[in-house]
Amino acid sequence: MEFIEDLSTHRKSDQERADILANPGFGDFFTDHTAVIDWSADGEGPQGTWSNARIEPYGPIAMDPAASVLHYGQEIFEGLKAYRHEDGSVWSFRPHANAARLNRSAARLALPQLDEEVFVESLRRLVTADVQWVPSGDGEALYLRPFMIATEAFLGVRAARKVSYRVIASPAGNYFGGELKPVGIWVSHNYARAGRGGTGAAKCGGNYAASLIAQLEAEQNGCKQVLFLDPFNDEAVEELGGMNVFFVMRGGKLITPRLTGTILEGITRSSIIQLAKDRGLEVEERTITLGEWREGIASGEIQEVFACGTAAVITPIGVLKNGEEHIGDPDAPAGEVTMALREELLGIQTGTVADRHGWLERLA
């Protein structure tokens, strides 16, 4: 698919961009351009055509007030990063895995499939247009947010016949800010992120909207993130508001909750599983309950706990707050296995560690 370029005549100045990159935060600032592709159904059925691929100036989206996404939430998104390597080149990490997951989400939300190569090319064209926005500081990257929204204007409950795929980009620093140290996690007993047969395995906004009230509860209790459980399965651990979770057992074995359809299949999660196996560590995907977490910490069987995701990469978990009960130690240092996996993963992403699995793809 050919992309037409309509580049901005009002880009940020070099000084404005430098000021932003000096302290980018996370998701606070955006680059000068966006990638866009339109889709329209060919008739009454699900088949349609992608067209009008373009790079255009970043700005507001003109949308009819009756657009389906505003009323029925028919939308999905992805998240990945572009990393500047020492030689100045810019690379993404496993973008085809993001493309495949976008299409799995699209299938669940009755949205059209997008060719994986077109997905990757949209990233490449946007990053090339805004390459000066890719930061080079320690732990920094250009966060890429592809998303797909239903734009057809109608109020009937059916799959939309007009859709817009877009990519925006934001320079990003450390997700939790400052020095990396173990975070506190709040256990949610009142709210669920997703239900069986629902959209838990899809990356759609509704899942995150449903998690926000529990996230507010977590923040009110001094925690950075919230943990969701399956109350119908012995309080089985599922995932955090936006991250998967791993347990490092005595002897080094890793355990992570198995995918049940209510848990998002994280690309960082699958990468960690592979890197752990490369180290000769056993990895087990199975049900692990809140009770096992409590007992494992008390007995020393669970020696480290960490969360992972594109934004935060790998973040050690210090304490789990379950109401008045505290499981773990908020002052405990990050674990050895946790940090070794984090350093290796970041090293691959930033080009300082060999990419044995061919995960990197050059964007600029």
Side-chain angles (χ1 to χ4, degrees), residues 1-7 34 36 52-56 125:
M1 182 174 290
E2 292 295 325
F3 280 76
I4 298 169
E5 288 192 346
D6 175 22
L7 299 183
T34 180
V36 187
N52 197 21
R54 60 201 185 273
I55 302 297
E56 64 183 29
R125 296 299 293 265

Side-chain angles (χ1 to χ4, degrees), residues 38-350:
D38 301 323
W39 181 88
S40 295
D42 294 333
E44 296 297 320
Q47 301 304 312
T49 303
W50 289 102
S51 64
N52 197 21
R54 60 201 185 273
I55 302 297
E56 64 183 29
Y58 180 95
I61 300 173
M63 188 179 299
D64 193 289
S68 178
V69 65
L70 301 177
H71 300 271
Y72 306 119
Q74 195 184 7
E75 65 81 42
I76 56 175
F77 67 96
E78 272 299 321
L80 66 163
K81 290 179 177 177
Y83 302 86
R84 190 177 295 281
H85 287 192
E86 190 174 351
D87 64 358
S89 60
V90 179
W91 300 73
S92 61
F93 180 74
R94 303 189 69 184
H96 285 276
N98 288 94
R101 188 171 66 181
L102 181 88
N103 279 333
R104 293 195 299 272
S105 297
R108 181 63 183 85
L109 272 293
L111 288 162
Q113 301 287 292
L114 180 68
D115 184 271
E116 289 187 14
E117 294 302 330
V118 174
F119 175 94
V120 175
E121 184 63 15
S122 71
L123 308 179
R124 182 175 289 112
R125 296 299 293 265
L126 179 59
V127 170
T128 298
D130 287 335
V131 69
Q132 292 178 303
W133 282 92
V134 183
S136 56
D138 184 36
E140 295 179 344
L142 185 68
Y143 184 80
L144 302 172
R145 170 54 59 86
F147 61 101
M148 193 184 295
I149 57 175
T151 55
E152 184 183 2
F154 74 104
L155 296 181
V157 182
R158 59 165 172 78
R161 296 179 186 135
K162 290 186 181 297
V163 168
S164 178
Y165 165 79
R166 295 171 177 262
V167 188
I168 57 176
S170 173
N174 189 307
Y175 185 70
F176 288 120
E179 179 185 356
L180 179 72
K181 55 185 179 181
V183 297
I185 305 296
W186 176 257
V187 179
S188 175
H189 289 284
N190 298 322
Y191 306 104
R193 174 186 170 275
R196 296 186 183 184
T199 58
K203 197 167 179 67
C204 62
N207 293 342
Y208 293 80
S211 75
L212 295 180
I213 189 169
Q215 178 67 30
L216 288 174
E217 191 176 72
E219 292 169 0
Q220 290 165 0
N221 285 276
C223 292
K224 294 285 190 179
Q225 268 283 352
V226 61
L227 172 72
F228 291 101
L229 307 171
D230 182 353
F232 303 105
N233 187 22
D234 198 24
E235 294 192 315
V237 172
E238 294 214 310
E239 63 174 288
L240 306 187
M243 293 183 283
N244 297 119
V245 62
F246 278 84
F247 301 85
V248 182
M249 313 301 286
R250 195 186 338 250
K253 179 170 76 171
L254 265 65
I255 295 177
T256 191
R258 65 185 180 90
L259 301 174
T260 60
T262 59
I263 297 173
L264 184 68
E265 185 177 356
I267 291 160
T268 305
R269 174 188 182 276
S270 64
S271 303
I272 290 168
I273 289 172
Q274 182 61 60
L275 294 179
K277 290 179 178 178
D278 291 348
R279 291 169 171 264
L281 300 176
E282 181 184 353
V283 181
E284 188 176 357
E285 298 178 67
R286 66 167 174 83
T287 297
I288 183 166
T289 66
L290 178 62
E292 185 176 354
W293 189 336
R294 177 188 297 111
E295 293 165 10
I297 292 293
S299 68
E301 181 62 24
I302 295 176
Q303 299 197 323
E304 305 172 30
V305 188
F306 65 86
C308 67
T310 297
V313 189
I314 293 177
T315 299
I317 295 174
V319 64
L320 184 69
K321 295 185 179 181
N322 182 34
E324 296 299 317
E325 177 188 27
H326 289 192
I327 301 171
D329 180 359
D331 298 318
E336 182 178 340
V337 174
T338 298
M339 295 308 294
L341 288 169
R342 175 182 166 83
E343 289 170 12
E344 183 178 12
L345 182 57
L346 277 173
I348 294 170
Q349 292 170 337
T350 57

Side-chain angles (χ1 to χ4, degrees), residues 12-24 29 32 132-133 135 140 171:
K12 292 284 194 301
S13 69
D14 290 345
Q15 186 58 56
E16 287 175 313
R17 189 174 57 253
D19 290 343
I20 290 171
L21 293 181
N23 184 24
F29 304 97
D32 297 304
Q132 292 178 303
W133 282 92
E140 295 179 344

